């Protein structure tokens, strides 16, 4: 029974790892898009020289919001990285346990 449980655990962990890697990819794409939007807004903001201009104020507010979103996404990415490290450690342990079960199941007493 241990071999089956270990094999199922390995498959489950590999699936979780794949899910988190996909989440990281999504966050990376969002960060790239966000960085482009921030750059574009800052470039438009540079065209206005009057600090009291309502358009400039709106642009600056949006840039602040986008910077906040960027920080939140970076924090999310770090959480995913930590979770992936945890999964990798647990996966290695599960593989070792599975390998021990395989070895003990097929070892002949001499």
């Amino acid at each position: 029974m241990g071999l089956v449980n270990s094999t199922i655990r390995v498959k489950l962990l590999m699936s979780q790892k794949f899910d988190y890697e996909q989440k990281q990819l999504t966050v990376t794409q969002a960060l790239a898009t966000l960085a482009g939007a921030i750059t574009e807004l800052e470039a438009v903001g540079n065209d206005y020289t009057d600090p009291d201009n309502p358009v400039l104020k709106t642009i600056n507010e949006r840039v602040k919001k986008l910077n906040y979103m960027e920080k939140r996404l970076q924090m999310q990415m770090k959480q995913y990285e930590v979770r992936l490290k945890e999964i990798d450690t647990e996966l290695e342990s599960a593989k070792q346990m599975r390998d021990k079960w395989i070895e003990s199941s097929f070892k002949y007493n001499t």
Side-chain angles (χ1 to χ4, degrees), residues 4 6 11 15 22 24 28 42 44 47-48 73 77 82 86 89-90 93 102 107:
V4 173
S6 297
K11 295 291 184 187
S15 175
Q22 290 300 312
Q24 276 188 317
T28 300
E42 288 174 339
V44 170
D47 294 340
Y48 296 96
L73 285 172
M77 181 67 88
V82 168
E86 291 170 353
T89 302
E90 192 173 348
S93 174
I102 292 171
K107 188 175 185 179

Side-chain angles (χ1 to χ4, degrees), residues 1-108:
M1 194 62 158
L3 177 59
V4 173
N5 287 338
S6 297
T7 303
I8 291 170
R9 186 71 185 145
V10 167
K11 295 291 184 187
L12 177 68
L13 289 168
M14 289 173 69
S15 175
Q16 287 178 355
K17 182 177 179 178
F18 177 76
D19 290 343
Y20 277 98
E21 287 171 344
Q22 290 300 312
K23 289 178 182 182
Q24 276 188 317
L25 181 62
T26 302
V27 170
T28 300
Q29 290 171 341
L31 282 169
T33 303
L34 203 53
I38 291 170
T39 302
E40 288 179 21
L41 276 176
E42 288 174 339
V44 170
N46 289 337
D47 294 340
Y48 296 96
T49 56
D50 182 17
D52 294 328
N53 188 327
V55 173
L56 183 60
K57 288 181 180 180
T58 303
I59 289 172
N60 287 336
E61 288 174 17
R62 288 184 182 170
V63 167
K64 285 181 186 178
K65 288 179 184 178
L66 291 175
N67 282 327
Y68 175 73
M69 288 175 60
E70 184 178 38
K71 287 180 185 177
R72 289 195 59 196
L73 285 172
Q74 288 171 345
M75 287 176 22
Q76 187 70 48
M77 181 67 88
K78 288 182 190 226
Q79 290 175 346
Y80 291 156
E81 288 170 1
V82 168
R83 183 63 185 132
L84 275 170
K85 286 180 184 177
E86 291 170 353
I87 290 171
D88 282 337
T89 302
E90 192 173 348
L91 182 61
E92 188 62 34
S93 174
K95 284 180 179 179
Q96 288 175 356
M97 190 172 11
R98 180 193 61 194
D99 292 345
K100 285 181 184 177
W101 275 104
I102 292 171
E103 182 182 335
S104 69
S105 295
F106 293 102
K107 188 175 185 179
Y108 296 104

